[in-house]
Amino acid sequence: MIERSRAIEVLSGEQFDVLVVGGGITGAGVALDAATRGYSVALVEREDFASGTSSRSSKLVHGGLRYLQNFDLGLVREALLERQLLVSLAPHLVRPLPLVVPAFEGTRPDRLVGVGLNLYDVMAVDRDRLRRPRARRARVESTDEQVPLADSWSPERHRVISGVEVLELLPALAEREPTSGYLFYDCQTDDARLVLTVLGEAERFGAICANRLDATGLIEVDGKARGIIARDAESEREFEIRASNVVNATGVWADELRPRELHDEAELPLIRPSRGSHITVRHEDLALIGGAIVPAGQGRTIFALPWLGRTLIGTTDNDYEGPLRHVAPSGEDIDYLLEAVNDFFACELSRAQITGAYAGVRPLITSSDPKKSVDISRKAELYETSSGMITITGGKLTTFRRMAKMTVDRLVEREARDAPCRTHQIPLGQAIDPRELERVEGVADPAYEALAARYGYAAHDVLGLARSDGRLAGAIVAGFPDLLAEAVLAVRREQARGIGDVLLRRTRLGLLAARELLGDGGAAQAVGEVLAEELRWDWLRLDRELELFTDEIAAEGLVAPAG
């Protein structure tokens, strides 16, 4: 991305076709879709990119097996096809993950689960593409946005595996001696990095993006939205950003932008926030190679997944009515996750073994009519209010591209343009084999694979910084592959403005090693000193930024309380 001050200069001085409010995965997707169709695009984010729900997911790109229980067949099929496409567009970021449903004590795997997995397999197949003659396939793929790429990944069908195979994927189950299990595949990602990658591609097609710009109001001309009043959180200056169309892609915060307009117009759906809490523990404390579907009581399940060298456990799904800026996992949620995992794996994990904890608030959609039965759904919802502002909310991480397409299709339709969607053909970053990366003195071997997975070809730029300054070749936290050079790249290329931007979203150390970040000589101090050089902070400013990061860690509940 271009430097933030330059972005603000352009935003305040030019007129745009489309202005997107919200820098999470949905807003990033809308910006990319609109830019690739030839629109001039601006995007603003009140906090940091991906600082809300888009960095606090379960890290899965999946169909949602449990939605089959509610017969949300359309939602599941849509997500499965998007999963298949995203592996092709971003193979370094979206990777297949084996998942296991074990059986114990000589019993066969649950037949109902097998029926669901059969349906999952069938719905993952693009039947139209299979029926098309080979001669027509390339032409159709160039015009039909719903068709996955010709070389797109397709998972193996689920199958029954032996107890030995179960233990190879789930070593933590050794005490329970599984006898068999179902094996199937979904995909996993680094959600915040996916957002940053999509934003980078949007900018490559001409979009101008800036963080820490709060949309304090709409600009109206003849009753129609024609831009926003933006407040710069750093300078406290207000200025206008003018655009022919305004898209509200702020997710669970959608009704904070012109709330009276949104709530006074009947038939508009209401946003019902749901909190999803997660915890991480050391791989040594819960060893997993693949993921496990863990029963959690009352017919519910949670995931236990390997992720970035730790084991990720989640999620809960409870109504949430608290403040939305900082959402921490509750003590009840943490105990619920620990109890489910301890029962299933026959282990004794405690709060003291938690290496990180986080919670995200998902925007679920419910009917605005109190007389109707409650209708909570993860389907995306698009609506246009009297000012012409388009709001997109609901949905899930996996389907962000479809949500963006739906939004821009509305713009194209009302302007009678000929501008088909192209994002099914736009790679997200450029994958690279870690072996192609030139070795740099001081960079530990595990870092190369981690850099390739996070940045793709841009890993060369991180290593270039490490090569030019040996201090930057060091790890931020001992035992993890994240480099201090990444903090420099985050400032120069990704508009990182604070310590939390680097440790919570550009890297994910805040979720994986929260305790190691704080205190004298901690990782936050090291990152802060690098940022001070890049952003020209004095020592007083550095101390203040460290205090702000400590407050952020506490507000987000990243360090789980003991006992």
Side-chain angles (χ1 to χ4, degrees), residues 296-520:
Q298 299 181 337
R300 296 199 58 218
T301 58
I302 62 172
F303 293 104
L305 311 167
W307 188 63
L308 299 182
R310 296 295 202 196
T311 295
L312 173 64
I313 301 164
T315 179
T316 60
D317 193 358
N318 300 314
D319 287 349
Y320 179 76
E321 298 180 352
L324 296 175
R325 183 177 182 187
H326 295 295
V327 181
S330 69
E332 293 81 1
D333 283 354
I334 291 173
D335 290 341
Y336 168 83
L337 295 173
L338 288 173
E339 181 179 354
V341 168
N342 285 336
D343 286 348
F344 183 72
F345 289 99
C347 59
E348 296 182 355
L349 292 176
S350 68
R351 289 195 184 191
Q353 292 164 282
I354 294 175
T355 55
Y358 67 94
V361 181
R362 297 182 286 266
L364 305 189
I365 301 300
T366 183
S367 170
S368 59
D369 185 348
K371 296 180 181 179
K372 295 180 181 179
S373 60
V374 175
D375 176 27
I376 298 296
S377 173
R378 297 194 189 278
K379 294 177 182 177
E381 196 75 36
L382 178 79
Y383 50 99
E384 183 176 347
T385 46
S386 57
S387 68
M389 180 176 70
I390 292 176
T391 297
I392 177 73
T393 191
K396 51 189 286 189
L397 176 72
T398 306
T399 57
F400 81 89
R401 194 195 66 88
R402 290 280 184 118
M403 294 170 66
K405 177 187 180 298
M406 182 166 62
T407 304
V408 183
D409 279 351
R410 175 67 66 88
L411 294 176
V412 169
E413 179 183 352
R414 75 184 189 184
E415 295 181 359
R417 285 199 182 200
D418 180 16
C421 179
R422 297 177 55 202
T423 53
H424 62 295
Q425 299 172 322
I426 307 295
L428 302 176
Q430 182 180 352
I432 189 172
D433 189 320
R435 292 171 295 184
E436 298 178 29
L437 296 172
E438 183 180 350
R439 268 37 188 176
V440 174
E441 184 178 355
V443 174
D445 286 342
Y448 297 97
E449 184 173 351
L451 291 172
R454 178 171 291 159
Y455 299 99
Y457 191 83
H460 285 295
D461 299 330
V462 179
L463 292 170
L465 291 167
R467 187 180 300 108
S468 65
D469 183 346
R471 179 177 57 107
L472 300 179
I476 296 175
V477 173
F480 286 84
D482 312 78
L483 305 181
L484 281 168
E486 296 181 67
V488 176
L489 189 82
V491 173
R492 296 181 184 178
R493 300 277 188 87
E494 297 173 347
Q495 296 187 15
R497 310 295 293 176
I499 298 169
D501 297 351
V502 173
L503 291 176
L504 301 183
R505 290 169 288 278
R506 306 311 187 279
T507 73
R508 312 314 304 274
L509 290 167
L511 312 184
L512 305 173
R515 290 185 176 87
E516 286 91 328
L517 304 183
L518 303 176
D520 293 338

